[in-house]
Structures are given as structure tokens and as C-alpha cells.
Amino acid sequence: MIDFNEGCKIALKYFYERFGEKSLSSALDGDNFWIFYSGKKGEIKVGGSGLIVFKETGDCEDFILPNPQNLKLLNKTTQIKLPECYLRN
């Protein structure tokens, strides 16, 4: 089991290696996963994807909408505050 801070680190590393992003913009909390988005807080990207990080293992995968399965997962989440060290305003 990983904690939220470790989940943030996994997401930030993923977004940096894949897209050169240096910050997270938002996080959603689900029962056994978190969903992260990268970029500047409040910035909306067209065509971007999120990342789902599983709490039990730390494994991650792209979180793409409007995939019907991902929409169901999205409906089971709540917004969670990111630590300031992961944000870029």
C-alpha cells in the first residue's frame, strides 16, 4: 500500500518523463486509486489524459476519457487537495 504523497511522486515522475510537465494540477481520490492531472492549476488542456495510480501497488496507467469504464470510475471520486510542492501557479 502506498500513501498519497508517494502517489503524487509517481504521477509527477510519469508526467515529467512522458510530457516534460513539472507539476500536477489536480487529484481525485477513489476507493483504491487516485487520478492525477498535470500542468498549471486551473489550466485546461485539450486532448490530454490523466493518470490513474493504484493505492495497493503503485502501478499506474493512462486515464483517458470518455472511455465508459473510466467515466464510471470518475463518478466514484472526490477532489483531494494536492500538497503545495506539486503545484505550479
Side-chain angles (χ1 to χ4, degrees):
M1 180 73 85
I2 63 169
D3 65 18
F4 181 60
N5 190 59
E6 187 63 28
C8 290
K9 288 179 184 179
I10 290 168
L12 190 60
K13 181 180 181 205
Y14 171 87
F15 286 122
Y16 181 74
E17 290 176 352
R18 187 139 186 226
F19 305 111
E21 291 285 346
K22 297 180 180 178
S23 62
L24 301 175
S25 62
S26 64
L28 302 166
D29 188 22
D31 288 338
N32 60 349
F33 61 90
W34 296 288
I35 299 170
F36 295 95
Y37 291 94
S38 67
K40 188 175 179 181
K41 187 176 180 181
E43 176 182 70
I44 298 173
K45 293 181 180 180
V46 177
S49 66
L51 181 72
I52 188 167
V53 177
F54 296 96
K55 295 176 181 179
E56 187 65 33
T57 62
D59 292 340
C60 60
E61 58 188 52
D62 288 330
F63 186 80
I64 300 171
L65 295 174
N67 176 303
Q69 179 180 341
N70 287 348
L71 285 170
K72 288 178 185 177
L73 290 177
L74 189 63
N75 287 330
K76 297 178 181 179
T77 63
T78 56
Q79 189 81 31
I80 188 170
K81 185 176 179 173
L82 285 163
E84 287 295 320
C85 62
Y86 298 107
L87 297 172
R88 180 185 76 201
N89 294 316

